[in-house]
Amino acid sequence: WFVVVPGAIYLLAGVFSGPLRRHLWPRQGELQAQALRTELINHVRLRIRQATGGPEYGLLQKCGYCAVVFVLLPLMVLTGLAMSPTVAAAYPFLQSMWGGFQSARTLHFFAFVALVLFSIGHVALVAKSGLKRQLQGMIRGR
């Protein structure tokens, strides 16, 4: 529940105040194969631009954050609820929605692995792009 409640508050606040749409959602012109390919190659070669300390996210960052916020975290919550015997008894559609307990468990595990890999990569790229500036931006809001 420590993920569900703050996550729901974050989503509601982000949707109603607009920062999700302004900063995290990729714009239509950005979602081109060439732009994504170029950014992916730059990230693989560790050519990371210096961070500005503000919400100027690159295309891969936007796609990654959207995948975490809108796919992985909801998947973790729903498959976690489907694995709970009490919740599954009250709401049996949750287990059948995933194809049974074991399928929910497998999806939950792979979502967990994806979140751990995202976190490791995220911390490494934050350190590469200027850890001091990034920390100041997170703490001071600049």
Side-chain angles (χ1 to χ4, degrees), residues 1-2 10 16 30-31 49 54 57 89 105 114 123 138 142:
W1 292 112
F2 72 93
Y10 173 80
F16 288 115
E30 290 178 322
L31 289 176
R49 64 182 170 97
Y57 300 119
R105 186 175 178 180
V123 170
M138 285 186 271
R142 298 180 190 160

Side-chain angles (χ1 to χ4, degrees), residues 32-140:
Q32 296 176 355
Q34 182 60 32
L36 188 59
R37 183 177 167 270
T38 302
E39 262 207 59
L40 187 60
I41 289 170
N42 286 338
H43 273 74
V44 167
R45 292 181 179 165
L46 292 178
R47 292 183 191 154
I48 310 299
R49 64 182 170 97
Q50 287 296 313
T52 60
E56 297 173 16
Y57 300 119
L59 181 58
L60 284 181
Q61 286 175 301
K62 289 179 181 183
C63 291
Y65 292 148
C66 284
V68 167
V69 170
F70 296 113
V71 177
L72 292 177
L73 291 177
L75 183 65
M76 287 287 293
V77 170
L78 291 173
T79 54
L81 289 172
M83 291 188 303
S84 167
T86 306
V87 174
Y91 306 102
F93 72 91
L94 278 174
Q95 265 190 1
S96 62
M97 177 169 116
W98 304 109
F101 176 83
Q102 189 58 43
S103 296
R105 186 175 178 180
T106 302
L107 289 170
H108 191 79
F109 174 76
F110 283 120
F112 164 74
V113 169
L115 283 171
V116 168
L117 291 174
F118 173 83
S119 298
I120 291 169
H122 188 269
V123 170
L125 291 173
V126 165
K128 174 80 171 132
S129 70
L131 183 62
K132 184 177 177 183
R133 187 178 305 125
Q134 293 287 61
L135 286 175
Q136 287 175 347
M138 285 186 271
I139 293 169
R140 296 182 184 163

